[in-house]
Amino acid sequence: MADTANNRILLFTESPRKGAYHPASYVIGQADFEGMGENRWKAVTRDSLCWPYGIWCHQNRLAIADSGNNRIIIWRLEFT
């Protein structure tokens, strides 16, 4: 899920069956679930995000439209 205003992508290992407020399993773009700054309030790095809007997943690859940094990032997803 693109959490645009918090400059991060949230990943869930399973889809919620019902209800709300299900915690994510993983976060991309921030050091932890508490972070929310554009590029972590620092210079752009290979794993920071600024206003990620669109995401697309195919097999174990995740493409992220990192709109604030004017780029597309490809992540390889490896869950343990």
Side-chain angles (χ1 to χ4, degrees):
M1 176 180 87
D3 186 6
T4 304
N6 289 314
N7 302 291
R8 64 188 183 178
I9 302 296
L10 299 173
L11 303 174
F12 298 83
T13 54
E14 46 184 79
S15 298
R17 299 278 181 217
K18 61 182 177 176
Y21 306 108
H22 296 277
S25 304
Y26 301 94
V27 63
I28 295 175
Q30 299 294 338
D32 55 36
F33 288 99
E34 302 299 318
M36 58 178 271
E38 296 172 354
N39 297 308
R40 295 185 210 111
W41 304 121
K42 299 180 181 178
V44 179
T45 63
R46 65 180 186 84
D47 63 347
S48 67
L49 295 171
C50 181
W51 292 88
Y53 274 96
I55 57 175
W56 182 77
C57 190
H58 177 69
Q59 296 177 351
N60 69 332
R61 301 272 195 258
L62 179 67
I64 302 169
D66 187 19
S67 65
N69 289 321
N70 299 307
R71 65 183 180 175
I72 301 292
I73 298 176
I74 308 294
W75 281 77
R76 183 184 356 217
L77 300 176
E78 296 179 9
F79 298 111
T80 56

